[in-house]
Amino acid sequence: MSTTSDAQGDFSRATNSLGMELVRIPAGSFRMGSLDGDRDERPVHTVALSAFWMATTEVTNAQYEAFDPQHRALRGKRGLSTQDDEAVIWVSWEDAVAFCRWLSEREDKPYRLPTEAEWEYACRAGTTTAYHTGDALPEAYHRAQAFHWDPELVDLTAGRMPPNPWGLHDMHGNVEECCLDRYGPYPEAAPDQVERDPCAGCAQEAEDPTLAPFRVTRGGSHNTDVEFLRSANRLGTLPEDKHWLIGFRVVQADPPQERPLVVRPKRWQRDVRQAAYPWASLDDNEAPLFCEPIPFVHSPAEEDDEPFYPHNHCPSIAWCDNGDLLAIWFSTITERGREMTILGSRLRAGAEQWEPASEFFKAPDRNMTGSSLFNDGRGTLWHANGMEAGAGWANLALVLRRSQDHGVTWSRPRLINAEHQRRNQVIHGMSMTADGALIQPCDAVWSGNGGTALHISRDGGGTWVDPGAGTPPPQFVEGGRGGTIAGIHAGVVELRDGRLLALGRGDTIQGRMPMSLSADMGRTWTYSASPFPPIGGGQRLSLLRLRQGPLLFLSFTGAIDHDEGMLLNGVRGYGLYAALSYDEGASWPVRRLLTPGEGEYVTQGHTPRFRADATHAEPRGYLAATQTPDGVIHLLSSGLHYRFTVAWLTEQAAR
């Protein structure tokens, strides 16, 4: 390595055998975080750092491919980063760590990723404003700095933009940069306390990855709103995730100090009973039961310091073997926002009210559209979730976790479909077939029409396939065929003969809700009109097989803007209803409006409140249902929890 000093003699520079230019960052201290930024940027605290060398640009394609020549095949994927001198993308945090290890051996010097403290210190370069340029980032630094459903093509040449005062290029934007730390809360510290060379949980073996599974990324990227490029902004990634927004730069320095990462248990994790619950038998619930709906979304207690946003929607629910119910849903400002998080709440066995919400699952600054919870009846709870590259919900990866202690702890999140793409928008409705296959439906598109994909695992969640991927475009007409279920937000059940039946929203056939049947486990589907009216925006159906045998269908009597109602046991009703089929979906003779009778109810999502009476039920919501071993059906809309039995559904029909 050759070393020189700049013209002012303030910062030494060096060039290594890959042609990387590095600048010596002087020792010093700074105030890390921001009082004006996101909640995870607080508390602002003082950090003192030893001197280190940092690359003046992000690692380029040519530099990375000296380590991994096969990466060249990924150049130009999604149309981005084709040239030698553009920032490398389509690399994971794990890839970046492996590159640093290789470079250390090649140079016989200690290369690694920067800690997030080193990164922010170097990015600020002595400044205290949102960007090193001040409180705004001039357009000269912008690379498509706005929300886009899919990335716009943009030049990612490393070092093309002006450097900051310490000679570092592209610290705001271009690509996100991996840091060594695990993502977690900043420590509470006394005003005069100083952290020295900290790295949160950076030693792989020092922390339980199930408690802090994400690694920090910094600097923001192209194709995102400029606010995510601020010096103090924190993002995060799963170590194996790779896409078009993330790259990295290196530092040359000794290992940092390990700071234990303390993650406080959430309210839904605390004091959870571990004993099995003595469920009543199905026969004990032969009497009709319908309970007045209760809210399951309660804002967090102030002392819990949890995120909670105005728009709470898209729930999932599962029963736990200890008698509890667990509900999750997304909370956000806008449905495409990076702030979207998954909140959770527990209704403990015997309790009359759901607990205040607390965060259940969140990739920092990434949209989390779509969740699914499922109890497989064999001692395992499953959680599937979407995870965006950035904002929106068009390019989701599919993530899976599982719990064997009633949802208290969860396995490390695992990418079961790592491509950020369509066909991965998780919806409630995971189920298990008679031969033990797990089925997870996911919207195939981000818009209102285009259908639902199916992801299937035949080895206990180990590997997953999308059997309909790559098939010809579906023909959503009577008698049509395709590899995608007709309608988004579809519910799917296995029939007694092994076929799959699905009902979905949109892609209407002859003015009715579409029905799809598959005889080859989701590889191909045939389409027909169902007997049910189509539904629209702000509405999602639910479909499941009950323990007593029949199929249960839950939906709405029509799209809210043109709901003509349905005849339900001879009376025209409007809104939320249930239907039962005793002949595997051929007919649905029992249909009943799910109305509490009289009163005004406050809910969430797209229906903040509604008035119920004998012929009017909740007009819209995203439905999610489960049935506990005692036979009680638990239905969530976007904000309310309904409880009823098959006997209640059938009592009017029996009269």
Side-chain angles (χ1 to χ4, degrees), residues 241-551:
D241 196 15
K242 58 182 73 177
H243 49 73
W244 57 92
L245 297 183
I246 295 179
F248 68 103
R249 78 175 69 216
V250 302
V251 300
Q252 186 192 113
D254 291 328
Q257 296 293 316
E258 170 79 11
R259 171 169 62 79
L261 187 58
V262 178
V263 180
R264 185 176 64 174
K266 301 296 184 180
R267 187 175 287 269
W268 51 266
Q269 293 179 295
R270 301 176 202 161
D271 304 319
V272 175
R273 168 192 169 101
Q274 289 299 310
Y277 185 72
W279 295 99
S281 68
L282 292 177
D283 294 338
D284 293 332
N285 277 319
E286 288 187 341
L289 171 71
F290 183 91
C291 300
E292 182 175 7
I294 59 174
F296 67 89
V297 178
H298 297 283
S299 59
E302 185 175 347
E303 64 269 18
D304 286 346
D305 189 30
E306 294 283 356
F308 188 80
Y309 300 107
H311 187 55
N312 293 274
H313 192 38
C314 202
S316 186
I317 184 172
W319 60 276
C320 303
D321 290 276
N322 68 348
D324 295 351
L325 292 173
L326 191 61
I328 60 175
W329 65 94
F330 72 55
S331 184
T332 191
I333 298 172
T334 64
E335 291 196 357
R336 66 173 177 81
R338 280 178 175 256
E339 77 281 355
M340 179 186 287
T341 186
I342 306 302
L343 300 182
S345 179
R346 191 178 287 271
L347 180 65
R348 304 194 183 236
E352 297 182 355
Q353 181 173 303
W354 289 83
E355 295 180 337
S358 54
E359 197 162 61
F360 183 78
F361 187 61
K362 173 60 177 167
D365 276 358
R366 310 209 187 275
N367 185 280
M368 306 297 292
T369 296
S371 305
S372 181
L373 282 177
F374 173 60
N375 187 325
D376 65 8
R378 302 177 179 182
T380 299
L381 281 176
W382 298 86
H383 167 223
N385 219 98
M387 185 180 72
E388 250 284 359
W393 62 86
N395 293 290
L396 295 155
L398 185 54
V399 183
L400 185 73
R401 305 190 298 169
R402 60 185 176 181
S403 172
Q404 294 182 312
D405 56 7
H406 317 295
V408 178
T409 60
W410 294 83
S411 61
R412 175 178 170 172
R414 185 166 57 86
L415 293 172
I416 58 172
N417 192 311
E419 286 294 324
H420 289 263
Q421 61 182 10
R422 274 64 163 171
R423 302 181 71 85
N424 285 346
Q425 185 184 330
V426 174
I427 53 179
H428 170 81
M430 186 183 290
S431 61
M432 180 177 282
T433 64
D435 63 359
L438 289 166
I439 293 177
Q440 175 59 59
C442 293
D443 284 352
V445 292
W446 63 268
S447 57
N449 291 282
T452 300
L454 203 62
H455 296 263
I456 299 177
S457 174
R458 295 184 178 276
D459 58 2
T463 58
W464 292 75
V465 296
D466 175 354
T471 58
Q475 301 295 315
F476 295 133
V477 296
E478 188 75 28
R481 294 179 63 84
T484 303
I485 296 166
I488 64 170
H489 303 349
V492 183
V493 291
E494 183 187 30
L495 302 180
R496 299 294 188 196
D497 61 7
R499 292 179 301 158
L500 300 178
L501 179 147
L503 294 159
R505 185 186 109 187
D507 301 316
T508 56
I509 298 176
Q510 298 180 0
R512 310 301 292 171
M513 178 181 288
M515 182 171 70
S516 305
L517 283 167
S518 175
D520 53 15
M521 282 299 286
R523 190 174 67 83
T524 59
W525 299 83
T526 57
Y527 311 125
S528 62
S530 79
F532 301 114
I535 55 177
Q539 297 173 321
R540 185 180 74 186
L541 60 90
S542 189
L543 178 66
L544 68 158
R545 183 178 295 281
L546 297 177
R547 295 172 183 273
Q548 294 91 336
L551 303 180

Side-chain angles (χ1 to χ4, degrees), residues 5-297:
S5 295
D6 67 8
Q8 290 76 34
D10 295 328
F11 295 92
S12 296
R13 293 176 181 269
T15 303
N16 68 12
S17 63
L18 289 182
M20 287 182 176
E21 186 179 50
L22 296 95
V23 63
R24 186 177 185 275
I25 306 300
S29 63
F30 77 113
R31 296 283 285 167
M32 185 175 183
S34 172
L35 292 174
D36 301 323
D38 298 334
R39 55 190 300 279
D40 66 352
E41 297 165 27
R42 299 186 292 273
V44 177
H45 53 292
T46 300
V47 174
L49 293 168
S50 304
F52 58 95
W53 293 83
M54 177 176 262
T56 59
T57 71
E58 295 136 340
V59 175
T60 65
N61 282 318
Q63 291 164 349
Y64 184 80
E65 287 160 11
F67 157 67
D68 180 11
Q70 294 183 351
H71 178 272
R72 191 175 184 87
L74 296 175
R75 288 204 202 183
K77 187 175 179 180
R78 302 296 290 253
L80 293 163
S81 193
T82 61
Q83 302 302 310
D84 283 357
D85 58 355
E86 289 189 87
V88 68
I89 52 177
W90 303 105
V91 290
S92 67
W93 183 91
E94 292 172 343
D95 293 334
V97 169
F99 174 88
C100 291
R101 188 180 303 117
W102 169 83
L103 187 59
S104 297
E105 294 174 356
R106 175 187 172 107
E107 299 276 313
D108 196 24
K109 294 180 184 295
Y111 285 89
R112 58 173 171 79
L113 296 176
T115 67
E116 69 166 329
E118 290 170 340
W119 191 97
E120 185 173 329
Y121 175 65
C123 177
R124 290 187 178 278
T127 66
T128 58
T129 49
Y131 310 90
H132 79 258
T133 56
D135 289 328
L137 188 68
E139 290 208 8
Y141 293 85
H142 290 203
R143 289 178 167 91
Q145 302 310 156
F147 167 76
H148 303 101
W149 285 107
D150 292 298
E152 290 193 352
L153 301 188
V154 63
D155 182 3
L156 299 182
T157 300
R160 184 167 62 88
M161 300 303 181
N164 73 2
W166 289 359
L168 301 170
H169 298 266
D170 302 318
M171 297 296 281
H172 299 300
N174 211 36
V175 295
E176 291 177 40
E177 300 179 13
C178 296
C179 294
L180 203 56
D181 306 62
R182 294 186 187 275
Y183 175 84
Y186 285 157
E188 295 289 342
D192 59 347
Q193 185 173 341
V194 178
E195 278 201 295
R196 299 188 180 278
D197 296 319
C199 183
C202 55
Q204 180 72 31
E205 59 278 353
E207 294 289 334
D208 181 353
T210 67
L211 296 179
F214 297 98
R215 295 285 181 167
V216 173
T217 63
R218 286 297 201 115
S221 68
H222 62 96
N223 278 281
T224 193
D225 295 309
V226 71
E227 65 187 88
F228 297 100
L229 279 57
R230 294 177 298 107
S231 299
N233 190 66
R234 308 175 73 202
L235 307 95
T237 183
L238 287 177
E240 66 270 35
D241 196 15
K242 58 182 73 177
H243 49 73
W244 57 92
L245 297 183
I246 295 179
F248 68 103
R249 78 175 69 216
V250 302
V251 300
Q252 186 192 113
D254 291 328
Q257 296 293 316
E258 170 79 11
R259 171 169 62 79
L261 187 58
V262 178
V263 180
R264 185 176 64 174
K266 301 296 184 180
R267 187 175 287 269
W268 51 266
Q269 293 179 295
R270 301 176 202 161
D271 304 319
V272 175
R273 168 192 169 101
Q274 289 299 310
Y277 185 72
W279 295 99
S281 68
L282 292 177
D283 294 338
D284 293 332
N285 277 319
E286 288 187 341
L289 171 71
F290 183 91
C291 300
E292 182 175 7
I294 59 174
F296 67 89
V297 178

